Amino acid sequence: MMNRQLFELIEIINDTEDLNNGGWRTEHPPVEIRLKTRPAAEGQQGSETLEQIATEIMACRACGLCESRKIPVPGAGVLRPAVMFIGEGPGAEEDKTGIPFIGKAGQYLDKWLAAIDLNRSENCFIGNIIKCRPPGNRDPHPDEITACRPFLIRQLNIIKPDIIITLGRFASQVICNSDEGIGRLRGKTHSYHGIPVVPTYHPSAVLRNSDLRGSVWNDLKRAKDLLNEIERNR
Ligand code: URA
């Protein structure tokens, strides 16, 4: 988490506070706690923050999922990550904790991350197209995706990943703006407003069908090549 972007964010927050305190730099308690608890409007004047969006998600009642969810799952990770992974929606474990991808599929996803030298705390952001668990882990309904989509778009505008990896049909269709199935969408690089997008299968699907592992490995290798190229050109 202690990367250049985080330090820049801390500087913005400190500078804003200095302004509020008459222009003098004051002593600050530990920064990590402040980042999580600070009201967004004070943190970045004129532009919204992930914390502000998360607060809205926590209170959201835009679709019927708010009736059955326990805790919404806004997403977690670092700003300006190498990769933003976008899944479908929270499962039972995520619904209990508010943390994305911590159940079986999440533990498997962590292995994919490690395979291409990534980890959650340093260079990834992990989110979902819908932030509340569909009852019984059913597929998200079109109206639920439509209601939740603006949160994801606003998050992407702030997170600004180098590349996006979409996990499964629903995330891939939303980000690639396509009706095609995941079998057709994966295998090539798409673009989301200039950000390369690599669609692949959802980890849960691969846990159910190990025949998909080879395709996922090819997708991850292509993602890694893209990241290396981005790094070379930086
Ligand atoms: N599956 C998803 O798509 N997202 C999660 O957060 C967990 C499981």
Side-chain angles (χ1 to χ4, degrees):
M1 190 77 176
M2 280 299 177
N3 52 21
R4 188 170 53 79
Q5 287 79 27
L6 179 55
F7 278 115
E8 281 170 7
L9 184 62
I10 292 164
E11 278 304 300
I12 291 168
I13 289 168
N14 287 347
D15 287 342
T16 309
E17 187 168 87
D18 292 340
L19 220 60
N20 295 340
N21 282 315
W24 295 100
R25 182 150 290 221
T26 51
E27 288 299 310
H28 299 288
V31 164
E32 283 82 0
I33 295 167
R34 297 177 66 80
L35 278 173
K36 285 181 190 139
T37 56
R38 190 175 185 79
E42 288 176 52
Q44 286 188 332
Q45 285 169 338
S47 63
E48 66 177 354
T49 64
L50 284 183
E51 289 83 356
Q52 197 173 9
I53 298 172
T55 304
E56 278 183 47
I57 291 170
M58 291 307 192
C60 180
R61 304 196 62 80
C63 80
L65 294 180
C66 67
E67 303 295 342
S68 53
R69 71 169 182 225
K70 289 196 180 79
I71 306 177
V73 184
V78 303
L79 290 175
R80 311 279 322 207
V83 181
M84 177 159 173
F85 287 87
I86 304 178
E88 186 175 308
E93 295 302 316
E94 293 81 16
D95 184 53
K96 271 188 242 158
T97 58
I99 302 168
F101 276 100
I102 53 157
K104 271 207 181 112
Q107 287 158 28
Y108 188 34
L109 178 64
D110 283 336
K111 293 189 180 160
W112 298 7
L113 266 58
I116 51 171
D117 303 318
L118 299 171
N119 67 75
R120 292 183 189 229
S121 57
E122 281 178 55
N123 44 27
C124 293
F125 192 98
I126 303 193
N128 283 301
I129 49 161
I130 58 165
K131 316 301 190 196
C132 297
R133 183 189 184 206
N137 295 346
R138 64 156 168 76
D139 288 348
H141 292 162
D143 64 308
E144 294 158 357
I145 294 175
T146 303
C148 219
R149 192 174 174 277
F151 286 131
L152 181 63
I153 305 306
R154 287 163 61 194
Q155 288 177 316
L156 270 162
N157 284 339
I158 298 171
I159 294 165
K160 296 193 191 332
D162 287 341
I163 72 167
I164 297 168
I165 299 182
T166 50
L167 304 168
R169 168 162 69 106
F170 293 102
S172 303
Q173 288 178 337
V174 168
I175 296 298
C176 300
N177 194 23
S178 167
D179 290 336
E180 295 208 285
I182 183 64
R184 283 184 158 279
L185 287 173
R186 66 150 297 280
K188 41 189 177 285
T189 304
H190 301 252
S191 170
Y192 174 83
H193 298 288
I195 302 173
V197 179
V198 177
T200 195
Y201 290 106
H202 193 284
S204 303
V206 188
L207 284 172
R208 286 193 302 268
N209 177 4
S210 61
D211 290 348
L212 303 177
R213 282 190 302 199
S215 300
V216 170
W217 180 234
N218 286 334
D219 296 335
L220 293 178
K221 271 197 297 194
R222 198 150 33 78
K224 182 65 180 168
D225 288 344
L226 283 167
L227 291 173
N228 288 340
E229 194 184 322
I230 290 167
E231 205 51 54
R232 271 199 304 278
N233 294 331
R234 232 193 273 276

